[in-house]
Amino acid sequence: MKKHLSVLFMLMLVGLLTLAACGDDSSDGGSDNDNTDNSSEDNGSDEPVTLTFFSSDGAEKTFDDPVAKKITEATGVYLEMDYPVGGNDEAIPLMIAGGEYPDLIFAKGDLGKLIDAGGVIKLDDMIEERGDNLKALYGDQIDRLRNSVDDPSIYQVGTYGVENQPLETSGTFQIQLEVLRELGYPEIDTLEDFEAALSEYHDMYPEINGQSTIPLSLQGSDWRWLITVGNPAGFAGGFPDDGQWVIDNDTGEATYKFVLDEFRTYFKWLNGMNAKGLLDPESFTQTQETYISKLSTGRVLSVADQDWNIGDARSALIQDGMENRTFAPLPVVLDESKTHQALKDYGFAGGWGIAISSTSEHQEEAFDFLDWMASEEAQILVNWGVEGEHYEVVDGERVMFDEVREKLETDANYSKESGVGYYIYPFPQWGTAAVDSNGQSITRDNKEQVIEGQLAPEKDALAAYGMELWIDWFPAQDELEISNHGAAANFSIPSGSDLQIIQQRADDITEQRITEAILADPAEFDGLWDNMLQELEDAGVEQLNQEMTELTQSVRELWGTN
Amino acid sequence: MSKHTTTVTVGGTASKNARKLTVASNRQSFFKRMMSQKMLIAMSLPFVLWLIIFRYIPVVGWLMAFQDYKPQNGFFGNEWVGLKHFRDLFNEPTFFRALENTIGMGVLGLVFTTLAAITFALLLNEMRFLKFKKLTQTISYLPHFVSWVIVANIVTTMLSIEGPINGLLTSIGILDDPINFMAKPGMFWGIVTSAEVWKSTGWNAIIYFAAMAGIDPQLYEAAKVDGASRLRQMWHITLPSIRSVIIVLLILSIGNLINIGFEKQMLLGNNIVMDKAIVIDLYALNYGIGMFRYSFGTAIGIFKSVVSVILILIANGFAKKIGEGRVF
């Protein structure tokens, strides 16, 4: 008996030792690999450095398309791209909890959390010493990259173009070209005009391609509530896009936007649309897939959405030969007294950008990579693709191959497969007004390109209205003030702060109650709206406004725009 | 042996000594028993260790709920704030709504999935055609392996305005106009429960079915001789024989009543029904870890554990009272 027991103990001991040994083995192996990595760089061999890159807006993709190969060739960097699975916004907190960071992080609004946790490094010195391309890119706007008044360091190199001149709008109401044509290209400036056009066409054609016509469809069942329900209300009210806020450009005073009267007016109109059967009854329950497939059938007359959210539907419509069922943007406002702010110049937005992690073993390579991405050579590559493969130079000007342009227009996956245009966002980026050393536009979206890219029915409509571009329909950029605080959506809000918690509460209330109010009987609308205002007040909306005002003013102080 | 003697001599009065002696002899028999079972103890040791390492040591993390925890400060470098996070939690109206929804959907889910599983197992047990029986069983537990993401898509498509259910109801004249089921807050609990029943009935039935297989066939033969119909046999033999299994499973799942997860509610819910769809885990996700408030999230976790323990104790006490297979 005793013998057996000791044998058993021996076995257990051996087992435990083996386990422990295995553990050691693996960690040894890991550091061995790292060592070889380092030494290969030191030797200056051709082996590219692999940098891990997490992008909050990323998708599954390997870094092996033609453009990516060129980038690796020029910088010696191979990117291993990671992305949040299933649109999950816990990725950054989980990363912090685990304490393991990728080399490069595009965290969007969560950058503040990374700074709090010490997960990212300050870039000021590196920019000063070796960031010539970045310095040239940001110029005097570089202050906008700074973190806060209390900690005015630079932790990230910003997303979004510097020096922008909008050529397209996005996020406003959009109407089918066919509706405009059928109704003889009417003037549509106000909600009233818009509704009249929709209902007139709906009466004429209750069915399209054998399925019932849907005059207006929204996608309010998930976070897209914000872009298809919340933001269009702000545009109609003549406010620029500051997320959930309306901010006075002179004083920097911020107001949680849904308490304003303009919003009551807008949603009352939407409630009326619903009562008259002009709003898709599935607007708040359908999934994104259902929504896109509905739009792709061509039976939805109008939407209020961002172009990037409905790109798949546009490609499908063009592919099915229904170019006339694609959408044109509308400068619709509540009434004539409002000015549509779609072309507003927010300045360089700052706020969001790519940071380098504190645990990265390749911080310098990562920085040099980001700096190279801001260079002229890189910007032409990411915008236009590879010379001879995607574009050619004719008489000193870049011309995209027809085939490539057509694919970019119609094939939703082409950009991802070829890399053309795929690496512009969220890297440092020249804006639409920027030119290269030959005086040519760096981005593909110059005026000529936009005009060339217009579809035939689009050209007809523009000609009928006597315009060159759709933006000619909107109040011009120089009529609007330049924003002194960029865009509120890019503010970094301290995690776990009252501001964040109360805003989450307020957003939960508004998303629910406004949805309820839209779908309610019109007689009940005002009562429901008043209840919502009361609920917002109870949730502390006044404190919220006050804290946001303070934050806005500190941003203005940091940027020197106060 | 020397140990026992020392305890005795240290004692003061005679009566005390007597008691010490009994304690000592008890202890002696305890050691004796332990030695006689050393093999068993050695074999259970790894599992006890596992339990301690993975189930008890992490409880130390509960301390976070009483701090303003920030990961960069390390575990003990944070400010202690007492019950602040619990106060915040109990001052939050949304939390109580979430609690109500959690318990509501938890109870509905428990009752209906159990009833459905038992009924299904009973019917399957009565089936005489073996091949068909096996096939039915296999098909019925397949939904268990389908992810909630897919189930939610199936449900929303089936119930959409242009979906097959509305099509059926309007074509046979039960409805005049299609109903947007997913936009009715009053129906949300029902939809979640039905989806859960569909998904889990076949799987849950397996264990009841196994219990039924163990019933002595002589009982049925005796009942048949006495002229009992098949329904009578089910009622008087099958059900009483699996009673203890049912009760043990119920007690175990009552403890988990509050841990119903959030996938179903998050995937099936939308802004219209959110009042009925927000559950504690979803709340903890949005207002806790999603905002980087680890301490607040931990406070929610502690609250949930306390509720679970209370529920288990109640259920166990109830089982004790009716004299059935209790858990402890």
Side-chain angles (χ1 to χ4, degrees), chain A residues 52 183 217 334 378 400 444 448 507:
Chain A
T52 47
L183 301 179
S217 188
L334 293 180
M400 196 132 244
R444 260 184 287 133
E448 291 70 33
D507 287 352

Side-chain angles (χ1 to χ4, degrees), chain A residues 173 175 179-180 183 185-202 215 269 273 276 278 301-302 330-338 465 473:
Chain A
F173 279 118
I175 194 165
V179 176
L180 294 177
L183 301 179
Y185 300 112
E187 276 293 314
I188 301 181
D189 298 321
T190 62
L191 289 175
E192 218 177 314
D193 302 340
F194 180 52
E195 183 180 336
L198 290 179
S199 87
E200 193 180 340
Y201 189 89
H202 185 220
W269 169 78
M273 290 286 283
K276 292 168 199 157
L278 294 173
L301 303 183
S302 69
L330 286 177
V332 166
V333 283
L334 293 180
D335 55 58
E336 276 87 3
S337 69
K338 309 280 184 239
Y465 285 111
W473 219 344

Side-chain angles (χ1 to χ4, degrees), chain A residues 394-439:
Chain A
V394 181
D395 302 331
E397 275 189 42
R398 283 183 288 275
V399 181
M400 196 132 244
F401 290 133
D402 285 344
E403 185 194 291
V404 175
R405 198 180 41 240
E406 199 188 304
K407 277 194 184 152
L408 280 170
E409 187 75 22
T410 53
D411 182 351
N413 286 323
Y414 182 73
S415 171
K416 199 172 161 184
E417 282 160 14
S418 65
V420 179
Y422 192 78
Y423 304 103
I424 302 176
Y425 175 91
F427 295 96
Q429 169 189 353
W430 287 94
T432 41
V435 289
D436 67 9
S437 38
N438 298 327

